[in-house]
Amino acid sequence: MVKKVRAHHFRQMKHERTPITMLTSYDALTARIFDHAGTDMLLVGDSYGNVCLGYDSTVRVTLADMVRATAAVSSAAERAFIVADLPFGSYEACPEEAVHSAVELVRAGAEAVKLEGGRRQAHTINAIVQAGIPVVAHIGYTPQSQNALGGARVQGRGDAAEEVKADALAVEKAGALAVVLEMVPAETATDITASLEIPTIGIGAGNGCDGQVLVWSDMAGMTDWQPSFVQVFGQVGQALTAAALDYNEAVRTRQFPDAQHSFTN
Ligand code: KIV
């Protein structure tokens, strides 16, 4: 019997210094694989737009897109805790809108929602938590604000470290379950991690966080380019290309299907 990972386990893991693993997933196929591999959290990230929908940013992803992806992931995962991103435009206007959007994601199978923003979103985080929905906050570099931030760049260098720390403390106070730190200097992320009761999950934030998250297609070598902070743990893209080449060749030379893969009367 699989022991389901639940919201309360993450503080316990931080306390016991057990690193938390999180990977993105947008479909049932990868969700089943990552779940069986023992990944603690599956993030139905709005990177869905870049990875699966061919967009060049996350801002075009809609709540309907996220609902469909969340339903697919939750249908396949047995153990992992499922976090779904609130997409751009689904929570910024007011806390009521945010609660409404979060409810849609929970109905689709999310066990927590993630939203981007620190102090400026504290009120909204609190409203969603009060509605009974766990929230993961996302601070540092926040891709939905890429236009305002001037592109993907490290946040919290030098004096700006205090700004990121103030965001982290604010989301904890607002009731967040955990906080993602994206593209934050390792020393800043380590200091924030030591200052919080809730776990930090880093992406491009060094080794001092309580957990790590990566976009699955980056870590599995599905793309020609990855951000510099990504380690490639497998060459799945190359393996898939080789399989497709072999298949094409076998069909064209009529080696597939052979007798073993054909029905007989
Ligand atoms: O959508 C996503 O993949 C994310 C990660 C970068 C944390 O939010």
Side-chain angles (χ1 to χ4, degrees), residues 22-26 43-51 58 66 85 114 116 138 141-144 180-182 201-203 213-216 218 229:
M22 184 188 224
L23 279 174
T24 65
S25 175
Y26 320 100
L43 171 62
V44 190
D46 58 0
S47 50
Y48 177 50
N50 310 77
V51 175
T58 57
M66 293 306 300
D85 262 344
K114 178 166 79 58
E116 295 184 7
H138 182 158
Y141 175 62
T142 47
Q144 292 174 8
V180 169
L181 304 178
E182 180 163 357
I201 302 181
I203 173 162
V213 57
L214 283 177
V215 170
W216 87 260
D218 289 340
F229 56 78

Side-chain angles (χ1 to χ4, degrees), residues 131-171:
I133 301 171
V135 175
V136 175
H138 182 158
I139 63 173
Y141 175 62
T142 47
Q144 292 174 8
S145 310
Q146 63 172 25
N147 295 328
L149 295 174
R153 54 180 70 206
V154 176
Q155 305 291 309
R157 273 207 173 112
D159 292 347
E162 286 309 311
E163 298 290 315
V164 183
K165 190 167 177 179
D167 280 336
L169 292 168
V171 300

Side-chain angles (χ1 to χ4, degrees), residues 70-83:
T70 301
V73 169
S74 78
S75 74
E78 288 181 354
R79 174 187 173 273
F81 186 77
I82 296 166
V83 181

